[in-house]
Amino acid sequence: MQNSLTIYGIRNCDTVKRARSALDDAGIEYRFHDFKSDGLDLDTAKEWLAQLGAEKVLNRRGTTWRKLSPADQERAEKDPASLIVDHPSLVKRPVWDRAGSLRVGFARGEAEEMVKWAAL
């Protein structure tokens, strides 16, 4: 029996689109949680950071990071959970949650392995 799978991301993100397409092609059921329309709550952000660490969760290379004020960038060190709740576009995407087990991203070289993991 397949565990519950939730994919977190932004609907128009190319990486999220590729991940969702791969899951659809493999016939894997999942729930999609869009940060833009569904938001991101503090408890979820804290759990991701506790399990994965800020370096895995925070995207410091994207446009959203570069547009942050220096004060907000400092929050990444002191309070990363509230920062990503306020700016969910900072989260590397997609975040995969399979019954509490988390992974981040969908690199082209890892696509097949990620789909197999999602199907467990």
Side-chain angles (χ1 to χ4, degrees):
M1 182 173 139
Q2 182 176 324
N3 288 320
S4 165
L5 175 66
T6 301
I7 301 296
Y8 292 85
I10 296 171
R11 190 170 313 280
N12 64 353
C13 171
D14 289 340
T15 305
V16 171
K17 286 179 186 178
R18 280 191 303 104
R20 293 181 69 197
S21 179
L23 292 172
D24 292 342
D25 290 348
I28 298 172
E29 291 185 22
Y30 62 93
R31 182 177 78 82
F32 178 63
H33 181 105
D34 189 324
F35 296 142
K36 296 286 187 182
S37 58
D38 302 326
L40 179 62
D41 67 79
L42 188 59
D43 288 339
T44 300
K46 286 180 178 180
E47 180 62 30
W48 291 354
L49 292 162
Q51 276 197 49
L52 300 168
E55 291 310 308
K56 268 262 204 235
V57 175
L58 276 173
N59 179 3
R60 296 174 195 252
R61 295 172 55 187
T63 304
T64 303
W65 177 261
R66 289 190 301 272
K67 289 182 178 180
L68 288 178
S69 69
D72 274 344
Q73 287 183 356
E74 286 180 27
R75 281 176 55 203
E77 306 308 319
K78 299 173 187 162
D79 189 11
S82 71
L83 180 66
I84 64 174
V85 167
D86 292 344
H87 305 279
S89 294
L90 286 171
V91 175
K92 291 180 185 172
R93 302 179 291 271
V95 176
W96 305 63
D97 182 342
R98 192 190 73 216
S101 179
L102 301 174
R103 292 203 177 178
V104 176
F106 193 68
R108 292 188 192 279
E110 301 171 352
E112 186 176 330
E113 189 271 330
M114 289 295 285
V115 171
K116 286 180 183 177
W117 176 84
L120 294 176

